[in-house]
Amino acid sequence: MDAQEWKEVFSFICSVEFWRMGVLWTLSLIYSYFQLFRQTLFSAKSKSKPYSPRCSPSSIATRRPICIVTGATSGLGAAAACALSREGYYVVLVGRSLDLLSKIASDIKEQSGDACVKAFQVDLSSFKSIWNFKREFQQWLSDMNMHCSVQLLINNAGILATRSRVTTEGCDKIMATNYVGAFCLTKILLPLLQNSPIPSRVVNVTSFTHRSVSSMKINKETISGKCFSGSRIYPFAHVYEYSKLCLLLFSYELHRQVKLVEQSSQVSVIAVDPGTVKTNIMREFPKCISQLAFFTLRLLGLLQSSEEGVCSILDAALAPPEISGVYFFGGNGRTLKSSPLSYNSKLAKDLWEASSDLFIELQLASGHTT
Ligand SMILES: NC(=O)c1ccc[n+]([C@@H]2O[C@H](COP(=O)([O-])OP(=O)(O)OC[C@H]3O[C@@H](n4cnc5c(N)ncnc54)[C@H](OP(=O)(O)O)[C@@H]3O)[C@@H](O)[C@H]2O)c1
């Protein structure tokens, strides 16, 4: 390492964000496992089963169901796309890099000759790009003579940027990718999920870090992240936690909304937390810091590979259709209670309203109104 790199590492270690992640995130993770342990102990005594068995799509569909995976070019998204293809899904890969998308697509095809996979280049931090994806996707369905519906949407794309960046549409990059993009994509694809002849599902990939948020303000400034990117020191760890709590609140609210409109709604919504997984999520950290984090987590027995970490995502994706509005954690089909704040239905409603307003604003600004 040269002097510049040492300086970078030193200032990273001296930052509030480093200690926030080191202390609060570790405590949040340990608390989640402790809760899981208590739950397992309690259920062993009461002999109740706190887990959902997996349900293969081939048992309910007569043709290949369609599954859209965002952030499919790396880590958990790539692992989920491979695994869901093995489960019999027609996998639609969504990612930013065409090269990486082609690589994952050919990996999936290599794995099984009859795998069905299609890739779309989409930047989830851009409303315009998401809207174009919807148009291209519908065109593709029509060209392929396929039913105009989606059976599974996995909102997995996420970033942990260490520097403040503002998107062309004026949002903070972390909020735009981790929350606003997922909200807009789901809202745009909801008619296709509702049009499915078999039960369909939205799976939102959130994180235990949401537990570190003790109070939250919801308005357009916070959810677009404008108030964070404007601050003198960019609170990236807090923005990440906040984005994951928003995704969780959104999951529970969407679950309530779809059930409210139609009691026997075919669309279910599940939030999932993979725990700590060795992926590229810390790509913007100084290399020695991410290696130290992985080393410590491995020492504590808390680090999983992508193939292990993807189990919770598969549990959520393949849970029976009646399972909805829950939070999967820890693999083996187990669910957990998320933080008390995430169950605040008033906050969830405020978030829904503010996100819908932002959606309309982004839609008007992009010139796409139909
Ligand atoms: N790893 C963990 O320990 C952990 C724990 C809890 C939750 N999670 C969550 O799991 C999800 C997957 O993360 P990961 O750990 O697999 O990290 P990763 O290896 O960095 O993968 C993130 C994926 O998201 C994509 N992405 C980022 N920004 C995007 C954008 N604007 N548009 C489209 N795609 C974009 C990336 O694409 P590029 O390759 O183009 O950048 C990449 O494919 C994230 O939501 C993360 O927050 C991870």
Side-chain angles (χ1 to χ4, degrees):
M1 279 205 304
D2 60 24
Q4 181 58 32
E5 282 168 325
W6 276 114
K7 216 174 129 190
E8 209 182 297
V9 172
F10 183 72
S11 70
F12 194 82
I13 291 175
C14 292
S15 69
V16 175
E17 298 312 296
F18 172 80
W19 291 102
R20 186 173 181 103
M21 290 186 292
V23 178
L24 288 188
W25 291 13
T26 309
L27 288 176
S28 300
L29 183 64
I30 291 172
Y31 178 77
S32 299
Y33 277 109
F34 174 69
Q35 227 193 335
L36 200 66
F37 173 72
R38 246 185 34 181
Q39 191 174 287
T40 313
L41 208 69
F42 179 74
S43 67
K45 277 187 190 153
S46 70
K47 294 198 173 64
S48 70
K49 291 181 180 163
Y51 62 85
S52 302
R54 288 187 186 171
C55 163
S56 166
S58 52
S59 62
I60 42 176
T62 50
R63 59 187 150 212
R64 261 179 208 265
I66 292 187
C67 153
I68 300 177
V69 183
T70 71
T73 50
S74 166
L76 288 159
C82 292
L84 289 166
S85 168
R86 281 195 295 271
E87 290 291 335
Y89 277 94
Y90 201 128
V91 180
V92 174
L93 309 172
V94 166
R96 286 185 294 193
S97 152
L98 270 183
D99 287 348
L100 291 175
L101 284 168
S102 326
K103 190 191 168 301
I104 303 295
S106 50
D107 285 354
I108 293 176
K109 284 198 181 129
E110 231 168 69
Q111 176 186 276
S112 156
D114 69 343
C116 292
V117 52
K118 170 79 183 161
F120 288 88
Q121 188 180 24
V122 188
D123 177 356
L124 281 160
S125 67
S126 154
F127 182 88
K128 213 170 169 177
S129 180
I130 295 174
W131 193 271
N132 287 340
F133 164 63
K134 179 214 164 188
R135 271 212 309 243
E136 287 168 19
F137 176 67
Q138 280 184 313
Q139 187 59 51
W140 171 73
L141 286 178
S142 146
D143 293 346
M144 297 287 288
N145 214 4
M146 283 158 82
H147 192 263
C148 192
S149 64
V150 172
Q151 281 65 54
L152 179 61
L153 166 64
I154 306 214
N155 285 315
N156 162 78
I159 54 162
L160 176 53
T162 53
R163 275 167 295 113
S164 168
R165 257 166 266 155
V166 178
T167 67
T168 47
E169 289 156 356
C171 296
D172 167 80
K173 192 84 178 173
I174 296 186
M175 286 307 292
T177 311
N178 297 8
Y179 173 64
V180 182
F183 177 87
C184 293
L185 182 67
T186 310
K187 197 169 162 80
I188 286 173
L189 292 180
L190 199 55
L192 297 189
L193 286 151
Q194 287 167 324
N195 198 32
S196 171
I198 58 165
S200 57
R201 169 162 295 154
V202 178
V203 172
N204 290 327
V205 182
T206 174
S207 159
F208 57 88
T209 58
H210 80 272
R211 294 187 192 277
S212 309
V213 184
S214 52
S215 68
M216 79 190 298
K217 227 193 247 167
I218 287 178
N219 53 47
K220 260 192 287 171
E221 293 295 298
T222 53
I223 60 168
S224 65
K226 281 180 190 157
C227 67
F228 302 121
S229 44
S231 49
R232 203 173 57 84
I233 296 169
Y234 182 56
F236 68 87
H238 176 63
V239 183
Y240 181 82
E241 299 156 7
Y242 183 86
S243 71
K244 291 298 174 183
L245 179 57
C246 285
L247 199 56
L248 201 44
L249 283 161
F250 163 56
S251 307
Y252 296 150
E253 182 59 21
L254 180 62
H255 158 75
R256 282 188 286 267
Q257 300 255 345
V258 288
K259 296 288 167 214
L260 200 72
V261 174
E262 203 188 327
Q263 268 296 315
S264 58
S265 172
Q266 295 262 69
V267 185
S268 55
V269 190
I270 297 184
V272 56
D273 177 352
T276 40
V277 189
K278 191 163 189 264
T279 64
N280 291 322
I281 195 77
M282 290 192 272
R283 65 182 89 182
E284 293 192 20
F285 289 22
K287 206 164 171 55
C288 62
I289 300 283
S290 54
Q291 279 171 347
L292 181 70
F294 287 141
F295 176 78
T296 314
L297 287 165
R298 183 167 293 126
L299 215 63
L300 295 170
L302 298 173
L303 188 67
Q304 308 164 84
S305 65
S306 296
E307 287 65 35
E308 291 164 332
V310 81
C311 286
S312 326
I313 300 182
L314 295 181
D315 288 342
L318 304 174
E322 64 278 11
I323 306 288
S324 185
V326 293
Y327 174 71
F328 274 82
F329 177 84
N332 295 324
R334 289 174 293 183
T335 56
L336 206 62
K337 280 234 168 295
S338 47
S339 75
L341 204 56
S342 68
Y343 292 108
N344 185 323
S345 52
K346 158 94 175 66
L347 269 184
K349 274 202 172 61
D350 291 349
L351 177 68
W352 183 275
E353 273 166 30
S355 308
S356 302
D357 288 350
L358 183 62
F359 180 94
I360 294 170
E361 228 172 69
L362 291 170
Q363 191 177 20
L364 288 174
S366 70
H368 296 301
T369 46
T370 51

